[in-house]
Structures are given as C-alpha cells and as structure tokens.
Amino acid sequence: MVQAGQRLSQLASTMDIFPTALELAGVKPPEGRPLDGRSLLPVLRDGAATQHPDYYYWRGNEVFAMRHGDVKLHFWTQGCTDYWEPMLAEQDPPLAFHMLHDPGEQYPLNMSLPENLALVASARKALAAHLAAVGADATKEAPQLNTCNDARALWPPKQRAAVRPPDEDTPCSY
C-alpha cells in the first residue's frame, strides 16, 4: 500500500495519527464528533497529494495562529517583558511568515502588498469555516487563556525566591 523508502515533505501533525490508525484498522471515526486530524493514508499512498492546506493553533478558546498553505499567520502574539509577565497582543493584520523561506519566523511578510492582503482574506475565510465546523464561540471578545503558575514555577524554590519573594507569586495567563 505504501511505497518503500519514500520521503515525503507534506505538512502533517500528531493529530493525524488517530484518524490514520482508524483508517488502517478499517474503523469508522466516532459520529457527531469532528476529529482535529486527518488520515495520512492518501499522502502515504500518493506522495504528490496535498493533504493539509490549513492547521490551527488554539490557546484556550481562541485560534492564536494558523498555517494556511506555506504561510503561518499569527492573530495573537505573546512576548515577555520578563519571565513572569507575558504580554498578549492582537495582530491585525496578522503577522505572516512564509514557512518555506523563513521557518524561524524572523521576517514578516509585507501586509501592504495586494497578494498578501488576498492571502489574509483567504485565510480568514478558511478560519471562519473551521470555527463554524467546530462550533467555536465567536461571541467572546478576548481569548480565554489557560491560567497557570508563573514561568518560574518550575525553577527550584531557592532560585524563585532569589528573583521574587514567594509571597508575590501570582498566577499568569498564557
């Protein structure tokens, strides 16, 4: 079924393992429950087939970024002013990077160019269809982020205390 020794470069995700295993076993996916991944068997059978035009990067109830073809678009970014105070910023237009030419996401595409504006419009259309398919709540005004202990929570207690007194430990959202 799969050609021996082939090397494929199509985009895939670990979320694709479950649907691939189901198809290999001849088992139908659960009804009424959309799967995040897709079976990789069409790609494995025909290496020239394009499998995934889009991937979505969720944080809480919000898609922070998406891969649309060869471009990754960031709708929300999160930098740090220091290790325990993350900054959250909405990007409109989104920050976009060509993943084949810039896999390190160092050089954003010029969003004033017509072809990049068309790309964003196409991505937003795909995102809207995805959100409708998964039943996402589009009424939320801001992303619901996971609450966690601050970034230094994994540091040894002595190091944490040296940077900030223990009584100042506060939860962060990211």
Side-chain angles (χ1 to χ4, degrees), residues 69-133:
D70 292 334
V71 175
K72 186 174 179 185
L73 298 100
H74 292 265
F75 303 106
W76 293 87
T77 56
Q78 184 170 357
C80 290
T81 55
D82 55 35
Y83 284 109
W84 53 81
E85 295 176 4
M87 288 178 25
L88 183 64
E90 186 171 12
Q91 301 296 324
D92 191 13
L95 287 176
F97 302 91
H98 194 285
M99 299 306 291
L100 299 181
H101 302 295
D102 182 21
E105 300 179 30
Q106 299 295 309
Y107 307 101
L109 298 176
N110 181 344
M111 298 316 289
S112 66
L113 298 176
E115 61 267 24
N116 292 338
L117 292 173
L119 173 84
V120 170
S122 171
R124 287 191 192 278
K125 184 177 178 181
L127 176 59
H130 173 71
L131 293 175

Side-chain angles (χ1 to χ4, degrees), residues 59-64 76 88 90 140-145:
R59 300 270 317 265
N61 67 342
E62 185 74 28
V63 173
F64 263 50
W76 293 87
L88 183 64
E90 186 171 12
K140 302 239 187 287
E141 292 183 20
Q144 167 207 341
L145 303 174

Side-chain angles (χ1 to χ4, degrees), residues 5-166:
Q6 68 177 323
R7 293 178 59 128
L8 304 171
S9 61
Q10 285 86 346
L11 187 61
S13 167
T14 55
M15 293 184 292
D16 298 328
I17 295 171
F18 182 62
T20 303
L22 288 176
E23 188 173 350
L24 280 169
V27 176
K28 290 184 180 184
E31 290 186 26
R33 182 177 293 173
L35 298 178
D36 290 322
R38 298 179 184 137
S39 173
L40 294 172
L41 284 185
V43 172
L44 295 172
R45 287 186 191 128
D46 176 17
T50 300
Q51 181 61 19
H52 287 294
D54 301 307
Y55 268 108
Y56 303 94
Y57 300 85
W58 287 84
R59 300 270 317 265
N61 67 342
E62 185 74 28
V63 173
F64 263 50
M66 73 179 283
R67 175 87 184 252
H68 187 62
D70 292 334
V71 175
K72 186 174 179 185
L73 298 100
H74 292 265
F75 303 106
W76 293 87
T77 56
Q78 184 170 357
C80 290
T81 55
D82 55 35
Y83 284 109
W84 53 81
E85 295 176 4
M87 288 178 25
L88 183 64
E90 186 171 12
Q91 301 296 324
D92 191 13
L95 287 176
F97 302 91
H98 194 285
M99 299 306 291
L100 299 181
H101 302 295
D102 182 21
E105 300 179 30
Q106 299 295 309
Y107 307 101
L109 298 176
N110 181 344
M111 298 316 289
S112 66
L113 298 176
E115 61 267 24
N116 292 338
L117 292 173
L119 173 84
V120 170
S122 171
R124 287 191 192 278
K125 184 177 178 181
L127 176 59
H130 173 71
L131 293 175
V134 299
D137 183 357
T139 63
K140 302 239 187 287
E141 292 183 20
Q144 167 207 341
L145 303 174
N146 300 327
T147 300
C148 63
N149 202 349
D150 63 27
R152 60 195 173 84
L154 300 177
W155 297 359
K158 198 176 208 179
Q159 287 178 324
R160 283 197 314 259
V163 175
R164 181 182 273 181

